[in-house]
Amino acid sequence: MTPADLAVAVLDAVSGAVEAGQLQVDVPAEAVIERPKSRDHGDYATNIALRLAKPAGRRPRDVAEVVAGYLRRRSGVAAVDVAGPGFLNITLENAAQGALVETIIAAGTSYGYTTALSGQKINLEFVSANPTGLLHLAHVRWAAVGDAMARLLAASGARVTTEYYFNDAGSQIDRFAASLYAVAQGEQVPADGYHGEYVIEVAQQVVADHPGVLDQPRAIALEVFQVHGIEQMFAQIRAGLDRFGVHFDVYFNERDLHRLGRIEETVVRLRTQGHVYEKDGAVWLRTTDFGDDKDRVIVRSDGRPTYFCADLAYYVDKRDRGFDRVVIILGADHHGYVPRMRALVRGLGEDPDQTLEIPIGQMVTARGGKMSKRAGNVLTLDDLIEAVGVDAGRYAMVRSSMDSAIDIDLDLWASRTSENPVFYVQYAHARIASLLRNAADLSIDSGDVTAADLSRLREEREGDLLAALGEFPRVVTAAAELRAPHRVARYLEELAGTYHRFYDDCRILPRGDEDPAPEMVPRLWLCEATRLVLANGLGLLGVSAPDRM
RNA sequence: GCGCCCGUAGCUCAGUGGAUAGAGCAGCUGCCUUCUAAGCAGUCGGUCGCAGGUUCGAGUCCUGCCGGGCGCGCCA
């Protein structure tokens, strides 16, 4: 019996009481089932009586007694106690608990997947770094978090498209081209230009690919450096993300918005809706009508649209492509962008609470390891991969809440010790894989899971492990709904610990020439179920689940 | 000045209004001739920044204050 099954049972009990006239209350849509921290409080607990007491006009403990009476009749439920202010503490029968293993084995790699978000078509944009530099730590964080989020949303039934917005037009690009040109000519990079060794490398490559470029007039040379410099930067960025295991469904070029007239269309649409005015030769959007703290320029006095204007057109384009939710992960250094974007959505006559979501992630720093000089004084994606590897890099980025600024200790994440959380989790997986190999070497046949006597799983540590495994689908759903992949990582760390404690307490394979214990087969299935959950969870984070370490 | 985020054990951080606030690391004490000790057990450690409020119940929600991070451009 899973917590979800139990929630249904609890609601059925409430319905039964209502139908029998013992309770006058609307049956709620959901019941909260939680795992009590203390084993004395049963396998599961629900606060349903506390929630129903007020609408029912009864004391919480009275409601609890009534519901408990019905719940006790449910098969699989061994005991129901009313405790404290009115909690129901529920103990399951061993067989009902053990049956979870069968559920997990049957679901296999899709255990944890739900339909919680089915019907939602979500566009998830992240990273979107300008092709004027290498990806640094903050970009890496959004890459890891965004990719995990995409996997979580998909696992919860949403249709997800991941997208990287590629700014290949505008003043930053011009500055980048000017920097390349200056370097190629052996001149000083302009003060507002780009620095770092990578600028020199790119400039040299452009010159190598286009030998006559420096003999061309300045305007033409700048164009060459711009087009091919961006091309190279973008190739490097994509290659790096590839190595990191992050693959976008769509790489969207800002240029296409210009080329296809989408920006013009958007300005016209906003003008028609009366949210636009002219001042000082520029075109302004009256975002203050919709909660922004100042109005925003969308077309500059020289006639060029602002980046913000392109962003508006991009949002409209996503909506036109049929996405009912536009999610954009941004760093805290861009959070000022949120109110104006929301204001725009209102200006278009849509409700930003329904269609737009901008999770803001706090900044990342790193210490330890050796710092790279290649990009100036910042740590790049490649530096991180070199320092700690892909698995540890991704895990380090994804295990903390986006709301927390993090400081990555490179020495810790590079270490192959228990200090390193990713090894702790991966080790549990490898340990199980090793155990299952040994079982195979001993020619042990576990048969079919449906034939195993799973009611034999009645040790306390077995119960703890079963309960932890039962939590997984809810953890995945919550992580998806709250856009909080770190919850999966924390859960896996707990699950790994619960497994290690089980392993320490419960012998599985026979020693020496002992005969196999009757618990052996059910325990082997319990191990396999745990291995599946660890592998599924790590998979959602984009981290490998090794069979050997 | 205004806005967003953070403040929880010595350190790094979990904790979608529920019971006695947790984990890892660091410190101390134990456990390997048999399934991976990259593990486990025990122990030490807290006015959940401060003060009010809402609630049967607040680390969690509201208000104010203190401290830190990040923003507030016809840059992104």
Side-chain angles (χ1 to χ4, degrees):
Chain A
M1 186 180 275
T2 66
D5 298 333
L6 187 56
V8 171
V10 167
L11 292 176
D12 285 349
V14 174
S15 299
V18 169
E19 280 162 26
Q22 291 182 266
L23 212 55
Q24 281 80 44
V25 73
D26 291 331
V27 180
E30 289 181 5
V32 178
I33 304 291
E34 54 179 20
R35 261 173 82 196
K37 286 164 196 154
S38 162
R39 290 290 302 174
D40 301 338
H41 295 151
D43 296 322
Y44 292 100
T46 177
N47 62 359
I48 191 97
L50 291 160
R51 292 184 178 280
L52 293 181
K54 190 169 273 184
R58 304 270 295 276
R59 290 192 312 216
R61 286 192 66 103
D62 293 346
V63 177
E65 289 294 352
V66 171
V67 176
Y70 283 87
L71 194 54
R72 286 188 188 107
R73 296 176 206 168
R74 188 83 177 201
S75 76
V77 174
V80 182
D81 293 319
V82 176
F87 290 102
L88 289 179
N89 291 338
I90 302 162
T91 304
L92 297 181
E93 289 170 1
N94 284 321
Q97 266 193 93
L100 178 66
V101 169
E102 202 180 318
T103 304
I104 294 171
I105 301 297
T109 52
S110 62
Y111 178 67
Y113 286 45
T114 68
T115 55
L117 301 182
S118 66
Q120 289 193 32
K121 197 177 169 199
I122 299 175
N123 184 283
L124 179 61
E125 179 193 337
F126 52 100
V127 185
S128 296
N130 283 348
T132 53
L134 302 165
L135 296 181
H136 59 250
L137 278 187
H139 298 127
V140 178
R141 187 177 193 183
W142 316 141
V145 170
D147 190 56
M149 206 181 281
R151 294 168 194 239
L152 283 167
L153 293 171
S156 301
R159 289 172 59 198
V160 186
T161 297
T162 56
E163 205 147 320
Y164 185 122
Y165 181 59
F166 177 23
N167 281 308
D168 53 357
S171 55
Q172 299 297 333
I173 300 297
D174 295 340
R175 284 180 196 171
F176 183 58
S179 302
L180 293 177
Y181 186 51
V183 165
Q185 289 190 308
E187 292 170 6
Q188 199 75 34
V189 173
D192 62 353
Y194 289 85
H195 305 267
E197 274 180 36
Y198 75 97
V199 177
I200 299 168
E201 291 169 19
V202 172
Q204 284 171 344
Q205 192 60 46
V206 172
V207 173
D209 292 346
H210 305 272
V213 64
L214 291 175
D215 303 328
Q216 299 288 331
R218 181 182 167 81
I220 293 178
L222 275 174
E223 177 70 14
V224 171
F225 277 106
Q226 174 170 326
V227 170
H228 298 285
I230 289 177
E231 209 171 75
Q232 272 194 46
M233 286 313 305
F234 195 53
Q236 283 194 36
I237 289 169
R238 281 189 68 154
L241 289 170
D242 246 35
R243 239 170 291 134
F244 203 50
V246 176
H247 314 283
F248 287 87
D249 297 321
V250 175
Y251 289 88
F252 194 97
N253 288 349
E254 180 186 358
R255 263 187 197 175
D256 290 339
L257 290 173
H258 294 268
R259 197 164 49 78
L260 300 171
R262 303 310 305 269
I263 291 174
E264 280 299 309
E265 286 170 32
T266 303
V267 173
V268 169
R269 178 167 166 191
L270 289 166
R271 200 187 288 276
T272 311
Q273 291 180 326
H275 303 307
V276 159
Y277 63 93
E278 317 231 345
K279 191 181 85 181
D280 305 332
V283 180
W284 295 69
L285 183 64
R286 202 177 286 109
T287 50
T288 47
D289 281 358
F290 304 103
D292 198 3
D293 57 350
K294 56 184 78 163
D295 290 341
R296 305 292 167 177
V297 171
I298 54 174
V299 182
R300 287 180 266 235
S301 48
D302 63 6
R304 287 156 46 224
T306 59
Y307 270 81
F308 178 52
C309 189
D311 290 335
L312 309 185
Y314 188 29
Y315 169 83
V316 171
D317 183 81
K318 286 174 181 168
R319 295 282 290 141
D320 287 348
R321 279 188 276 147
F323 294 104
D324 40 47
R325 252 187 137 80
V326 173
V327 183
I328 308 170
I329 298 178
L330 291 181
D333 52 342
H334 287 83
H335 76 255
Y337 174 90
V338 176
R340 74 187 78 158
M341 203 61 196
R342 285 176 58 86
L344 158 86
V345 172
R346 282 210 191 84
L348 291 169
E350 298 181 344
D351 178 2
D353 290 334
Q354 297 299 318
T355 64
L356 178 68
E357 215 178 291
I358 308 183
I360 296 296
Q362 299 299 311
M363 307 312 281
V364 193
T365 52
R367 59 196 149 95
K370 46 180 189 199
M371 285 292 170
S372 150
K373 283 277 156 55
R374 191 162 170 244
N377 212 7
V378 297
L379 206 70
T380 65
L381 170 61
D382 287 344
D383 297 333
L384 181 73
I385 293 176
E386 193 189 328
V388 306
V390 170
D391 280 346
R394 288 187 71 129
Y395 196 90
M397 291 294 175
V398 94
R399 101 179 264 268
S400 293
S401 159
M402 282 174 65
D403 287 339
S404 292
I406 52 174
D407 186 26
I408 304 284
D409 181 340
L410 294 175
D411 295 324
L412 185 153
W413 286 101
S415 71
R416 310 193 137 253
T417 68
S418 58
E419 296 177 309
N420 186 342
V422 72
F423 280 104
Y424 184 78
V425 176
Q426 288 182 317
Y427 176 68
H429 185 272
R431 197 178 217 189
I432 298 172
S434 164
L435 178 68
L436 296 175
R437 276 194 303 272
N438 291 341
D441 290 346
L442 292 171
S443 304
I444 290 165
D445 179 11
S446 298
D448 194 287
V449 66
T450 54
D453 183 7
L454 298 169
S455 68
R456 282 191 176 275
L457 300 174
R458 55 176 74 111
E459 291 292 326
E460 181 174 343
R461 296 263 167 106
E462 291 168 336
D464 291 344
L465 186 51
L466 285 165
L469 295 173
E471 289 302 299
F472 185 59
R474 301 201 298 181
V475 170
V476 173
T477 303
E481 286 174 344
L482 297 168
R483 319 290 189 241
H486 75 278
R487 283 167 176 266
V488 174
R490 300 299 176 147
Y491 165 80
L492 291 174
E493 288 169 30
E494 267 187 51
L495 177 60
T498 306
Y499 179 77
H500 288 312
R501 284 186 286 276
F502 154 77
Y503 178 92
D504 192 60
D505 231 36
C506 299
R507 179 76 202 188
I508 299 157
L509 299 176
R511 318 162 197 249
D513 49 6
E514 284 177 2
D515 287 331
E519 293 82 18
M520 181 186 74
V521 167
R523 281 179 179 168
L524 281 169
W525 282 116
L526 179 59
C527 287
E528 171 60 10
T530 306
R531 195 196 61 73
L532 267 169
V533 173
L534 288 169
N536 291 357
L538 286 169
L540 288 171
L541 302 179
V543 175
S544 71
D547 287 334
R548 295 171 201 275
M549 289 177 75

